[in-house]
Amino acid sequence: MRTFFSPGTSLGTLDAASAATLIAAASDVTLILNADGTICDMAFRNEELFADLVDSASWMGRSLVSTVATDSRAKVTVLLREATTNAESRWRHINHLASDGRSVPVLYCGVQVGQDGRIVLFGRDLRAMSQLQQRLMNAQQSLERDYSRMREVETRYRLLFQLSSEAVLIVDPAKGRVVEANPAACSLFGATAEEIIGQALPSIFDGEGLTNVQAHLSAVRGGSQEEAVSAQLGRGKTGVDVKQVRVRASLFRQENLTFFLVRLSAVPSDSVAPLPDVKTKLLKAVESAPDGFVVTDDTGNILTANAAFLEMAQLPSENAAVGEPLDRWIGQSGVDLDVLVSNLRQRGTVRFFSTILRAEDGGTVQVEISGVSVRNGGSHTSFGYAVRNVGPRVQSPVRTTKQIPRSVEQLTELIGRVALKDLVREATEVIERLSIEAALELTGDNRASAAEMLGLSRQSLYVKLRRYGLGDLATADES
């Protein structure tokens, strides 16, 4: 340790108070010990540290060893021995106990002063560093958990990719080459994965099929939800005879790169004859319709859905909907869909069934559903649903003073076609509107008196007047 060159000259004559002030300012906590390690005086520059230490006010006259945690007592013994033997004293990490039982870390260094063997311990508060280390450790553990979870997810999807019975290719859009192929694709091509990987698309598909596939990939890259296209695998390029396949692609991102996931399904030679052109146009019209259209089996699981429904439900592709129950998105609970299906089974058709559609992003949309029951032969039944977004129409203030509220008979006719909550809401609105009209009539269109009669504030009454289109709204705004 290098000391001052001339302390007598540079420091001058320091009295005890000045020396104590200097020593206390040199560290966060300063302890003065007798030769036997008993605390005879102490100073805290940090009041928060003083309050955090358990029984710190009663340390006077106690051994330093009794104030520290069990795991730090050996360090205290070494620290005092180094201070009393004039050996080079090193900084030691000592843990005190807080009032709530946790450890309070303090970094100590000791030096012996005077002729009576007294020791001065200088301590630095390490709580901020300890908290920083704890946050760093928590962040590292969180990263480890996320990394482990990502590896588990990758393992699961890798297993699904390998075990899938559907032929799947991963294609690099920039180069147009296959970067990965699953065993089902190898079986379809009659080749090994090493022979398929690196192949360009023109070497896989022939003739018009290649043009269809390239147009399909371009449309998918542009964000369109395209239906599958037909193509042919060529002889001599994949090592197999010509095969007719259906090709459907979708985009996915991996490590900031975009790839095509191309699914191929072989078309059996004895497949059903194609639909007439008129029916094909009808199917395309349904797929492109602005209203959603969904077909389910008799258990309510989705068989197919058009692009409009996928957009309303915020689904990335039809695959995310197929096989899922329709009540996952339709209705506030399973009751709405149960009522709808029950009516379809009894009547065959349902019109203008009011409910909500819950999107994947958490939003809700007011919709009207018209449904039809279709028997496929035998005892199998399918249900088709046309889903129309009526949110803007429901929310727009289109009511006028001439509009007549629904009667009880009109509301009764909606039972079975409209969910109970919507019937209750409609009945409540009818009663509320009639009450406001009666109050305005009794008070001679005096809004202040009408609001008092109805137990409403004037502002609440004006909101309801605008909602139902009652009275002179301009007058209400002026008042």
Side-chain angles (χ1 to χ4, degrees):
M1 179 176 64
R2 293 288 300 271
T3 61
F4 294 106
F5 290 103
S6 56
T9 304
S10 59
L11 297 178
T13 303
L14 292 177
D15 54 14
S18 299
T21 301
L22 181 63
I23 293 173
S27 58
D28 296 317
V29 54
T30 306
L31 302 179
I32 300 179
L33 311 179
N34 292 328
D36 58 358
T38 303
I39 300 174
C40 61
D41 206 348
M42 59 184 180
F44 286 84
R45 189 177 64 175
N46 190 334
E47 288 290 340
E48 184 181 352
L49 177 62
F50 177 75
D52 204 11
L53 295 172
V54 62
D55 299 331
S56 56
S58 61
W59 281 7
M60 300 288 291
R62 291 172 55 186
S63 172
L64 176 62
V65 175
S66 66
T67 67
V68 302
T70 305
D71 60 347
S72 297
R73 293 180 178 178
K75 296 180 182 180
V76 170
T77 302
V78 174
L79 179 66
L80 296 180
R81 184 172 63 248
E82 290 177 350
T84 55
T85 58
N86 292 325
E88 182 179 355
S89 182
R90 294 184 298 174
W91 291 92
R92 303 282 178 177
H93 181 169
I94 306 297
N95 289 324
H96 293 283
L97 294 178
S99 55
D100 57 2
R102 58 185 172 81
S103 296
V104 179
V106 180
L107 192 65
Y108 281 108
C109 182
V111 60
Q112 189 176 33
V113 296
Q115 301 298 324
D116 54 358
R118 296 201 174 190
I119 301 173
V120 178
L121 292 183
F122 299 91
R124 298 175 182 173
D125 185 5
L126 296 182
R127 290 178 303 168
M129 183 180 296
S130 176
Q131 292 173 0
L132 182 61
Q133 290 175 340
Q134 184 63 42
R135 288 198 295 269
L136 180 61
M137 183 179 298
N138 292 339
Q140 184 176 2
Q141 291 177 349
S142 177
L143 288 175
E144 288 291 338
R145 287 193 297 269
D146 291 342
Y147 179 65
S148 176
R149 190 158 48 246
M150 290 296 295
R151 283 186 301 178
E152 292 175 358
V153 171
E154 181 181 0
T155 301
R156 285 197 296 268
Y157 281 99
R158 175 65 59 181
L159 183 61
L160 289 174
F161 180 76
Q162 296 295 331
L163 297 180
S164 174
S165 59
E166 186 177 32
V168 180
L169 300 177
I170 306 299
V171 178
D172 183 356
K175 299 179 180 179
R177 295 184 177 274
V178 177
V179 297
E180 197 163 355
N182 71 341
C186 297
S187 176
L188 177 65
F189 296 143
T192 64
E194 290 75 12
E195 294 172 338
I196 299 174
I197 294 175
Q199 292 282 342
L201 289 181
S203 67
I204 296 178
F205 301 103
D206 266 351
E208 184 181 354
L210 175 60
T211 303
N212 293 340
V213 171
Q214 290 176 334
H216 177 68
L217 295 179
S218 298
V220 171
R221 180 185 287 182
S224 300
Q225 295 288 341
E226 293 293 317
E227 61 182 20
V229 296
S230 297
Q232 287 183 342
L233 303 180
R235 180 196 301 267
K237 296 181 180 179
T238 59
V240 297
D241 294 337
V242 174
K243 287 184 180 180
Q244 189 74 17
V245 294
R246 298 285 290 172
V247 181
R248 184 161 190 172
S250 58
L251 281 174
F252 73 96
R253 295 187 63 83
Q254 180 180 1
E255 298 179 354
N256 296 326
L257 297 176
T258 303
F259 295 93
F260 283 123
L261 188 147
V262 182
R263 296 176 296 156
L264 303 98
S265 55
V267 179
S269 57
D270 56 348
S271 59
V272 179
L275 291 173
D277 291 342
V278 175
K279 294 297 183 181
T280 302
K281 292 178 181 179
L282 176 61
L283 291 177
K284 289 185 178 180
V286 171
E287 176 63 29
S288 305
D291 293 336
F293 194 85
V294 185
V295 178
T296 70
D297 58 19
D298 56 356
T299 63
N301 292 329
I302 296 176
L303 299 176
T304 183
N306 71 346
F309 178 82
L310 300 178
E311 182 179 356
M312 284 191 287
Q314 294 296 305
L315 296 175
S317 66
E318 186 180 2
N319 291 333
V322 172
E324 296 292 331
L326 182 59
D327 59 3
R328 173 178 169 182
W329 296 283
I330 296 296
Q332 292 182 340
S333 65
V335 176
D336 287 4
L337 191 61
D338 289 344
V339 172
L340 185 58
V341 172
S342 177
N343 279 271
L344 283 175
R345 286 174 176 163
Q346 292 177 7
R347 305 178 183 178
T349 60
V350 170
R351 296 176 183 272
F352 309 129
F353 184 90
S354 297
T355 183
I356 65 170
L357 183 144
R358 304 183 304 277
E360 288 293 295
D361 60 3
T364 59
V365 178
Q366 290 285 338
V367 295
E368 281 184 354
I369 299 178
S370 296
V372 62
S373 174
V374 179
R375 188 170 296 277
N376 300 324
S379 59
H380 298 288
T381 303
S382 299
F383 301 111
Y385 302 97
V387 184
R388 171 167 293 181
N389 182 358
V390 296
R393 186 178 70 192
V394 171
Q395 297 172 2
S396 59
V398 297
R399 301 184 178 182
T400 64
T401 56
K402 298 299 182 181
Q403 185 179 4
I404 301 175
R406 285 180 175 170
S407 64
V408 175
E409 290 77 14
Q410 290 174 316
L411 293 175
T412 305
E413 291 176 358
L414 295 177
I415 295 176
R417 297 168 51 195
V418 177
L420 178 60
K421 57 182 179 60
D422 296 321
L423 288 173
V424 172
R425 183 181 63 222
E426 186 69 21
T428 302
E429 291 179 355
V430 170
I431 295 172
E432 189 174 55
R433 178 172 179 170
L434 291 174
S435 299
I436 294 174
E437 289 177 340
L440 291 173
E441 184 176 353
L442 290 173
T443 59
D445 204 28
N446 187 317
R447 292 176 176 78
S449 300
E452 183 178 358
M453 179 182 294
L454 295 171
L456 300 172
S457 66
R458 293 179 64 183
Q459 187 61 34
S460 297
L461 178 61
Y462 293 157
V463 171
K464 295 181 182 297
L465 290 175
R466 293 188 183 92
R467 178 181 178 184
Y468 297 118
L470 299 174
D472 187 353
L473 300 181
T475 305
D477 292 335
E478 293 173 359
S479 54

